[in-house]
């Protein structure tokens, strides 16, 4: 009996450990904007007449000799601290493979898979926290020293949540190993900043943005009244009941649009699945389908941390 109880207890501990691991945020290691610009790994495109420059991560990982080594070393150290890291090069390759596969997939009648421009925009590698690394090699006689910076950003809000920097001792060691020395000296403080952020997030919720808009074909607007209360008031009451500590801010409200910021949502839903802006907006959509509203709506997302609910039809 004691042996059976011990085995059961061990299984429970194992299951709990796996559950805890599943709840850890996913992290992506990327070179910083400054690093990409300094090494000319950028590309420019025309956005409705306005030229915009973005980082060309695919070219950076493909052509730069140092980047994969540095990312591998930093990733190895972060993994030792228990973080779950995604590899950009592998994720990007898998994404491209899926795109090619979809382009040649067809039914028996020759029909192709439907893909809207929004589907193309959403085909990005998703993660909770972005770690940006930046380094500069300083020549010191025959040796070299490395100035290294690592910053963490919340992918939902783009806010900086942790940062660390340092300069290593000049030596003839490979750049990746010099960076390993610098990071090792500063990682404990960096880890504490990340853990503080995650603890605060667990307590106060995850921050997102939410907008509610109205199609021009909609039978109602946000000022439509149901039992002496406007639709926007019902939405605010729903947010009060479904956000952590009833935390949200209504920053803009008209008959056709309402914008909410600092919307603090639970990190996980009732089924213990990670909650993002789309999942939260989907709950609001279900609420608006019920009586007395009986309204259809469509969800549009901008990354993990922003959702737009358009009322009236899908």
């Amino acid at each position: 009996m004691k042996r059976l109880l011990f085995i059961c207890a061990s299984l429970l501990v194992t299951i709990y450990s796996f559950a805890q691991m599943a709840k850890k945020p996913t992290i992506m290691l990327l070179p910083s904007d400054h690093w990409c610009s300094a090494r000319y790994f950028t590309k420019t495109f025309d956005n409705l007449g306005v030229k915009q420059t973005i980082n060309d991560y695919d070219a950076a990982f493909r052509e730069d000799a140092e980047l994969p080594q540095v990312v591998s070393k930093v990733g190895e150290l972060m993994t030792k601290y228990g973080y779950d890291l995604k590899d950009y090069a592998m994720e990007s390759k898998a994404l491209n493979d899926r795109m090619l596969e979809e382009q040649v997939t067809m039914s028996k009648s020759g029909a192709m898979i439907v893909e809207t421009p929004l589907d193309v925009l959403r085909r990005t590698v998703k993660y909770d926290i972005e770690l940006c690394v930046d380094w500069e090699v300083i020549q010191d006689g025959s040796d070299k020293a490395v100035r290294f910076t690592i910053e963490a950003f919340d992918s939902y809000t783009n806010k900086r949540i942790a940062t660390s920097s340092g300069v290593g001792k000049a030596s003839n060691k490979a750049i990746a190993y010099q960076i390993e020395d610098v990071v090792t000296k500063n990682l404990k403080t960096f880890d504490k900043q990340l853990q503080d952020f995650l603890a605060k997030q667990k307590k106060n919720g995850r921050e997102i943005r939410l907008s509610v808009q109205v199609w021009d074909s909609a039978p109602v607007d946000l000022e439509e009244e149901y039992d002496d209360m406007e639709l926007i008031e019902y939405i605010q009451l729903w947010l009060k009941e479904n956000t952590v500590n009833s935390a949200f801010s209504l920053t803009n409200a008209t008959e056709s649009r309402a914008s909410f910021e600092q919307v603090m949502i639970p990190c996980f839903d009732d089924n213990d699945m990670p909650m993002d802006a789309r999942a939260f907006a989907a709950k609001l959509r279900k609420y608006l389908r019920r009586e007395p509203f009986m309204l259809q709506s469509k969800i549009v997302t901008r990354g993990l941390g922003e959702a737009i609910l358009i009322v009236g039809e899908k």
Side-chain angles (χ1 to χ4, degrees):
M1 180 61 73
K2 289 183 178 179
R3 180 180 175 81
L4 181 60
L5 289 173
F6 176 78
I7 292 173
C8 290
S10 298
L11 285 173
L12 286 173
V13 170
T14 302
I15 293 170
Y16 177 76
S17 298
F18 275 110
Q20 290 298 101
M21 288 175 63
K23 292 182 180 181
K24 290 181 179 177
T26 53
I27 294 177
M28 180 69 72
L29 265 169
L30 294 170
S32 70
D33 293 346
H34 173 264
W35 185 93
C36 289
S37 178
R39 302 205 180 194
Y40 302 103
F41 288 118
T42 59
K43 52 186 176 183
T44 303
F45 67 97
D46 187 279
N47 183 15
L48 301 176
V50 179
K51 288 187 177 181
Q52 292 189 341
T53 301
I54 59 174
N55 298 332
D56 191 347
Y57 295 122
D58 289 330
F61 278 94
R62 184 175 60 248
E63 300 173 14
D64 190 84
E66 291 178 356
L67 178 59
Q69 299 176 41
V70 171
V71 167
S72 177
K73 276 297 176 186
V74 176
E76 179 184 333
L77 293 171
M78 295 298 294
T79 300
K80 288 181 180 178
Y81 273 74
Y83 293 101
D84 178 21
L85 272 72
K86 283 188 175 183
D87 183 277
Y88 177 83
M90 294 302 295
E91 292 285 345
S92 181
K93 181 179 182 301
L95 192 65
N96 289 329
D97 288 345
R98 288 196 296 272
M99 288 169 57
L100 292 173
E101 185 178 303
E102 288 176 1
Q103 289 174 5
V104 298
T105 300
M106 62 178 65
S107 69
K108 291 181 180 180
S109 66
M112 305 295 291
I113 294 175
V114 174
E115 186 173 50
T116 69
L118 279 178
D119 293 328
V120 178
L121 288 174
R122 289 170 184 156
R123 267 204 320 255
T124 56
V125 181
K126 295 182 179 180
Y127 44 87
D128 299 311
I129 295 175
E130 180 177 316
L131 293 189
C132 295
V133 293
D134 193 354
W135 68 95
E136 180 183 1
V137 179
I138 305 170
Q139 193 72 39
D140 186 1
S142 60
D143 293 332
K144 296 178 181 178
V146 172
R147 180 184 291 114
F148 183 80
T149 301
I150 181 170
E151 296 179 295
F153 295 88
D154 178 14
S155 296
Y156 288 74
T157 62
N158 295 321
K159 292 181 179 180
R160 183 184 286 105
I161 56 179
T163 184
S164 178
S165 61
V167 180
K169 292 182 179 180
S171 71
N172 59 1
K173 293 195 321 186
I175 299 301
Y177 289 98
Q178 290 195 49
I179 287 177
E180 180 181 18
D181 293 339
V182 178
V183 174
T184 301
K185 293 177 182 177
N186 296 276
L187 197 54
K188 189 173 182 180
T189 301
F190 185 76
D191 174 60
K192 185 180 184 307
Q193 294 176 42
L194 275 179
Q195 291 300 322
D196 288 345
F197 166 77
L198 295 174
K200 183 179 179 182
Q201 187 180 74
K202 184 177 181 180
K203 178 182 178 182
N204 299 326
R206 172 174 284 156
E207 182 180 345
I208 67 163
R209 292 187 182 93
L210 176 67
S211 296
V212 180
Q213 300 179 18
V214 179
W215 293 112
D216 60 8
S217 60
V220 301
D221 58 28
L222 297 181
E223 294 180 351
E224 183 75 15
E225 291 192 3
Y226 301 87
D227 297 327
D228 296 328
M229 279 183 60
E230 293 183 352
L231 178 59
I232 183 60
E233 294 177 295
Y234 280 101
I235 291 173
Q236 287 178 277
L237 283 176
W238 184 90
L239 286 171
K240 184 177 180 180
E241 294 174 357
N242 288 273
T243 51
V244 178
N245 299 324
S246 301
F248 66 91
S249 298
L250 176 61
T251 58
N252 179 49
T254 66
E255 62 181 16
S256 59
R257 178 192 297 261
S259 300
F260 301 93
E261 295 185 1
Q262 297 176 316
V263 181
M264 309 306 291
I265 68 173
C267 295
F268 299 90
D269 62 19
D270 296 336
N271 297 317
D272 217 24
M273 296 296 292
M275 176 85 76
D276 59 16
R278 180 177 181 81
F280 186 73
K283 292 181 64 177
L284 176 57
R285 178 174 61 183
K286 289 180 181 178
Y287 171 70
L288 295 178
R289 283 179 186 164
R290 303 171 187 166
E291 293 183 352
F293 316 111
M294 305 299 290
L295 294 170
Q296 292 290 336
S297 53
K298 182 181 182 65
I299 297 175
V300 178
T301 58
R302 293 174 180 165
L304 294 172
E306 183 173 359
I308 303 168
L309 188 70
I310 313 176
V311 176
E313 61 181 277
K314 287 190 174 182

